[in-house]
Amino acid sequence: MSAAKTHGFQTEVNQLLKLMIHSLYSEKEIFLRELISNASDACDKLRYESLTNAELLSDDDELAVHVSFDKKKRTIVVKDNGVGMNEAEVVENIGTIARSGTKQFLDSLTGEKSKDAQLIGQFGVGFYSVFMVAEQVALTTRKAGDDTSNGVIWSSDGQGEYSIEKADIKERGTTITLKLKKAEDEFLNEYRLKNIIQKYSEHISLPIYMPKAEDEGEDDKDQPKDAELEWETVNKGTALWARAKREIKTEEYNQFYTSMTYDSDEPLSVLHNHVEGKQQYTSLFFIPSKAPFDLWDRDRKTGIKLYVRRVFIMDDTQNLMPSYLRFVRGLVDASDLPLNVSREILQKNQAIQKIKSASVKKVLNELKKMAEKKPDDYQKFWDEFGRVMKEGVVEDFENKELLQNLLRFATTNDGEEKQTVSLKDYASRMPESQKSIYYLTADSHAAAKNSPHLELFRKNNTEVLLLSDPVDEWLVAHLHEYDGKSLKSIAKGADLDDVQDDEAKEKAKEQEKDFSDLIEKFKKALENKAKDVRLSQRLTDSPACLVADEHDLGGNMERLLKAMGQDAPDSKPILEINAEHPILVNLKDNNDKVEDWANVLYDQAALSEGAPLNDPSAYVKRVNSLLSENL
Ligand code: ADP
Ligand code: MG
């Protein structure tokens, strides 16, 4: 045995350990769930590797987890015969947190104990949770296939440092020994431990063993050696998804969901299918009721679990569900794939592509059904996942039809921020004369709702979709039309024919003549800012607004692209002015300050869109100079 080396934990680990020890003590029992989940992962990995290298299993081929405790020594031991780790892997895996999402995780903690404990499970910083209950932890491990002399003993008290030494270890796999803190004796109890295992790990598909009960009242007796113990399994360990649907109770599905996701809320929907015929596979999908904290994290590793004939193969994040359905959890168990399928093969595999395409349709049809039969549930779903679903319209042309009917929007109808109106609802309310579906994009709901562009539409009671999610700009760019009606931005172009009556059109012609002189002066004053200046047909209360040319991107889209660091063409907007507004009525006859007025009106129109001003101090100076004139 070589001498032990001492290392310091990475800063983030220390931060996490402190958090774990000081603020999450209400859910201490999850440490066992985390250890068993790691043991189960290690066994899955070994099973997978042994498909191409059978020698790794040698004669120890029943992969299992053993959990035991010793009242006298006050220890709990969790042991697996999975892949194990070599020294470099121990240092890498238990001592640093490699994932880039760590900071995001730490930021997302709420300070509320039960919520945070749940987050820890989702994030998978599981191993460190042992320090909630243990004052000293030893991990001995030897990698499958390595020489017995390549064993490693890692140990730590969770106070900033850990030590590592080489050791001779006969059996492959990992054994974790916790020396419990003084106050944690409750875990030195057979029923307590069994109970935790059943609560969290019932459906882990490998056996979890505990020693058969001893006689009561012999706490001080020395624990017999492992070999002398009689072990019994404490979990069912059967693959739930392989059973017939009609035999499975809702609670069983829910429990399975929780054990797979650590999400303690019940799923909104369960989709379980045994597919027979040319291609045989089983899928079990869950639609969660809440969005996970990392839904927008690109490094997110959760996805759909792929099994082949009940052997776990991998967590897959792209081949079984498209990115816009990344909130769907569950698994696919395929019968016809080779067991040693790799990620690369998976990408090109026709059978997998067919399973994916059928799975997407299953999920979308389930949502369609929910929207029709359980609109309240669907609304909950949309509130959580609507923004992701909108990506589907951009990405998934094949299912456009299904997807566009699942969309929900806020509109001027109720003015609420909640997105509740479907395109079908909207279309069914359109008067005969209205040809297009009108929408307005802005960077917040408030900005959309209060936009001057809406004035004419409000006056005429024409409903307008109010879009304020960043993805909406892409959505409308791909949607184009619904049910033969084109989608039209009310902040673009000049054609408002179908919301205007003939009388208004006549009046507009008159005003053109009256204002032609003023408009020329405005154009000159705004030469560098505006593409054009014209009289507006869409304003009733505001003096001016900006509109984009029919084929320009529009202000909101340009700002979004710039915020993402992309090149956006700097197209100039068109300034529209309101001929009925007192400011302009006065300016028409008395325009010696016209340059100031033109600039102030332009800047105000930009502000009301939520756009930043290029030269805020020039704006302030102009406003002050105009105000002081009237003092
Ligand atoms: P996660 O399981 O989400 O990766 P953990 O903190 O639970 O995070 O574990 C960190 C890493 O340590 C695991 O990814 C794995 O590589 C390694 N590890 C932990 N426990 C074991 C074990 N029993 N056998 C082999 N490797 C393990
Ligand atoms: Mg883990």
Side-chain angles (χ1 to χ4, degrees):
M1 221 182 255
S2 63
K5 284 174 280 181
T6 307
H7 302 254
F9 282 120
Q10 189 193 22
T11 322
E12 282 89 347
V13 176
N14 274 324
Q15 218 177 328
L16 205 60
L17 281 168
K18 281 215 183 76
L19 250 158
M20 202 82 76
I21 294 163
H22 298 296
S23 51
L24 295 165
Y25 42 80
S26 66
E27 296 274 350
K28 285 178 187 168
E29 63 183 28
I30 65 157
F31 80 90
L32 189 55
R33 172 188 80 185
E34 295 301 328
L35 292 181
I36 290 177
S37 139
N38 287 348
S40 161
D41 290 349
C43 291
D44 282 341
K45 274 185 214 158
L46 180 61
R47 181 158 27 210
Y48 181 63
E49 283 177 18
S50 72
L51 297 171
T52 45
N53 183 1
E55 269 171 30
L56 288 177
L57 283 178
S58 59
D59 54 354
D60 182 11
D61 62 356
E62 195 213 22
L63 296 169
V65 185
H66 287 78
V67 178
S68 60
F69 64 97
D70 186 324
K71 274 196 175 171
K72 200 174 162 198
K73 293 191 197 146
R74 309 187 56 260
T75 55
I76 293 178
V77 178
V78 178
K79 180 176 167 191
D80 67 67
N81 55 354
V83 274
M85 288 175 273
N86 61 28
E87 186 176 344
E89 286 166 337
V90 173
V91 173
E92 166 83 20
N93 297 333
I94 316 273
T96 61
I97 302 176
R99 231 163 298 130
S100 61
T102 309
K103 181 148 185 332
Q104 193 196 347
F105 164 75
L106 291 169
D107 291 344
S108 67
L109 290 176
T110 58
E112 220 176 293
K113 281 165 200 159
S114 62
K115 268 195 197 153
D116 289 349
Q118 202 182 322
L119 280 176
I120 283 184
Q122 284 185 24
F123 189 71
V125 286
F127 176 78
Y128 304 104
S129 63
V130 289
F131 291 106
M132 292 195 289
V133 296
E135 58 182 28
Q136 186 72 36
V137 176
L139 175 148
T140 62
T141 183
R142 203 233 328 135
K143 193 171 169 139
D146 268 14
D147 205 78
T148 54
S149 63
N150 273 348
V152 183
I153 301 177
W154 176 101
S155 66
S156 176
D157 59 3
Q159 307 284 327
E161 286 178 342
Y162 61 90
S163 76
I164 266 196
E165 61 188 295
K166 282 230 160 85
D168 207 74
I169 298 177
K170 259 211 221 80
E171 295 166 310
R172 70 148 195 266
T174 305
T175 302
I176 290 161
T177 307
L178 316 185
K179 175 98 183 1
L180 292 189
K181 292 182 186 169
K182 292 261 147 44
E184 307 301 341
D185 284 0
E186 58 165 298
F187 295 110
L188 296 171
N189 176 303
E190 183 197 342
Y191 299 102
R192 182 78 171 99
L193 292 179
K194 272 192 182 159
N195 194 279
I196 303 173
I197 294 173
Q198 275 153 6
K199 181 167 165 193
Y200 297 108
S201 313
E202 178 77 342
H203 295 283
I204 293 254
S205 58
L206 81 167
I208 301 167
Y209 289 103
M210 277 186 66
K212 245 194 173 137
E214 290 281 313
D215 295 336
E216 289 295 320
E218 296 184 65
D219 290 4
D220 292 338
K221 214 180 67 171
D222 285 333
Q223 181 88 356
K225 291 252 154 28
D226 274 13
E228 298 158 19
L229 286 171
E230 225 189 303
W231 298 89
E232 61 180 356
T233 48
V234 288
N235 65 328
K236 280 214 194 76
T238 51
L240 177 91
W241 64 90
R243 287 163 48 195
K245 274 164 77 169
R246 64 188 137 70
E247 286 169 12
I248 306 174
K249 297 195 201 82
T250 308
E251 303 100 76
E252 288 181 281
Y253 280 124
N254 289 350
Q255 258 185 31
F256 181 79
Y257 170 76
T258 305
S259 72
M260 171 181 245
T261 60
Y262 302 153
D263 178 0
S264 53
D265 292 318
E266 284 177 14
L268 261 188
S269 271
V270 180
L271 294 79
H272 187 191
N273 281 287
H274 295 290
V275 180
E276 304 287 339
K278 242 200 271 164
Q279 211 178 359
Q280 291 195 7
Y281 66 94
T282 295
S283 61
L284 175 57
F285 298 130
F286 298 95
I287 299 175
S289 51
K290 290 231 168 58
F293 75 95
D294 59 349
L295 188 60
W296 306 99
D297 180 3
R298 284 172 196 277
D299 298 333
R300 208 166 168 258
K301 60 168 192 173
T302 49
I304 302 296
K305 291 184 185 299
L306 176 67
Y307 288 78
V308 172
R309 296 183 288 283
R310 296 199 211 169
V311 176
F312 174 74
I313 306 294
M314 65 178 88
D315 278 306
D316 178 85
T317 52
Q318 46 178 331
N319 300 300
L320 296 167
M321 278 292 160
S323 149
Y324 75 92
L325 294 178
R326 59 186 174 271
F327 54 84
V328 175
R329 305 297 301 271
L331 61 94
V332 167
D333 189 342
S335 315
D336 315 323
L337 286 178
L339 277 169
N340 57 354
V341 60
S342 67
R343 257 174 228 287
E344 291 68 39
I345 292 177
L346 215 54
Q347 277 169 16
K348 296 180 207 121
N349 186 285
Q350 294 248 330
I352 285 289
Q353 283 167 12
K354 281 194 188 130
I355 292 176
K356 177 180 182 178
S357 144
S359 300
V360 171
K361 291 212 158 64
K362 277 258 142 52
V363 171
L364 296 182
N365 278 311
E366 172 72 14
L367 290 170
K368 182 180 167 193
K369 207 168 77 191
M370 195 196 293
E372 285 160 5
K373 304 244 163 77
K374 296 181 181 168
D376 290 348
D377 276 8
Y378 188 73
Q379 191 59 49
K380 263 191 237 157
F381 165 78
W382 186 263
D383 294 344
E384 292 289 320
F385 300 110
R387 281 201 292 165
V388 199
M389 288 297 290
K390 287 174 181 174
E391 294 171 15
V393 175
V394 180
E395 288 168 15
D396 187 354
F397 191 73
E398 198 186 318
N399 292 300
K400 196 169 178 182
E401 190 71 27
L402 264 167
L403 278 162
Q404 65 189 13
N405 281 306
L406 292 172
L407 299 172
R408 295 294 180 272
F409 299 100
T411 80
T412 46
N413 221 40
D414 55 10
E416 267 197 68
E417 185 158 1
K418 232 180 170 33
Q419 303 175 355
T420 58
V421 178
S422 69
L423 289 170
K424 198 170 160 203
D425 295 336
Y426 182 102
S428 72
R429 295 199 279 255
M430 280 167 68
E432 193 105 23
S433 59
Q434 188 184 337
K435 299 288 177 279
S436 310
I437 295 175
Y438 289 109
Y439 69 85
L440 176 67
T441 56
D443 70 350
S444 71
H445 180 74
K449 197 168 98 174
N450 300 319
S451 165
H453 294 108
L454 285 170
E455 289 170 6
L456 171 73
F457 293 82
R458 280 206 207 285
K459 191 176 127 205
N460 296 344
N461 275 324
T462 305
E463 187 171 14
V464 177
L465 305 177
L466 301 177
L467 310 182
S468 54
D469 288 334
V471 64
D472 286 333
E473 288 281 0
W474 283 268
L475 174 79
V476 290
H478 284 80
L479 202 53
H480 303 302
E481 57 136 52
Y482 173 79
D483 196 22
K485 299 160 182 76
S486 62
L487 263 78
K488 205 162 172 318
S489 166
I490 65 163
K492 277 189 195 175
D495 172 23
L496 296 168
D497 264 7
D498 53 345
V499 272
Q500 268 201 318
D501 53 32
D502 292 339
E503 201 184 322
K505 284 179 205 161
E506 268 313 304
K507 198 161 150 202
K509 274 196 198 129
E510 285 298 306
Q511 287 168 337
E512 291 293 343
K513 278 183 234 146
D514 286 359
F515 278 81
S516 61
D517 183 41
L518 183 69
I519 284 178
E520 282 315 310
K521 291 198 170 121
F522 263 58
K523 278 185 191 168
K524 194 146 182 286
L526 298 173
E527 223 166 16
N528 299 321
K529 287 184 178 170
K531 189 176 198 170
D532 195 8
V533 178
R534 66 188 180 214
L535 285 188
S536 183
Q537 310 306 320
R538 58 192 108 214
L539 296 174
T540 60
D541 303 333
S542 303
C545 69
L546 298 177
V547 295
D549 223 354
E550 195 77 63
H551 299 291
D552 285 345
L553 285 176
N556 191 51
M557 183 65 147
E558 280 174 23
R559 285 189 291 280
L560 273 172
L561 287 174
K562 279 183 193 145
M564 295 189 316
Q566 294 194 18
D567 283 340
D570 254 323
S571 55
K572 289 186 212 154
I574 295 163
L575 180 72
E576 288 195 354
I577 53 176
N578 179 0
E580 312 263 302
H581 195 278
I583 293 183
L584 291 138
V585 173
N586 277 319
L587 267 181
K588 177 162 66 78
D589 305 319
N590 172 18
N591 52 27
D592 54 332
K593 285 265 175 185
V594 73
E595 196 186 332
D596 281 346
W597 278 108
N599 277 288
V600 165
L601 289 175
Y602 179 97
D603 285 354
Q604 282 185 346
L607 283 174
S608 74
E609 274 194 5
L613 296 185
N614 278 340
D615 188 352
S617 63
Y619 169 74
V620 171
K621 264 191 210 131
R622 284 200 168 105
V623 169
N624 287 342
S625 124
L626 293 174
L627 285 174
S628 54
E629 252 183 62
N630 289 312
L631 283 177

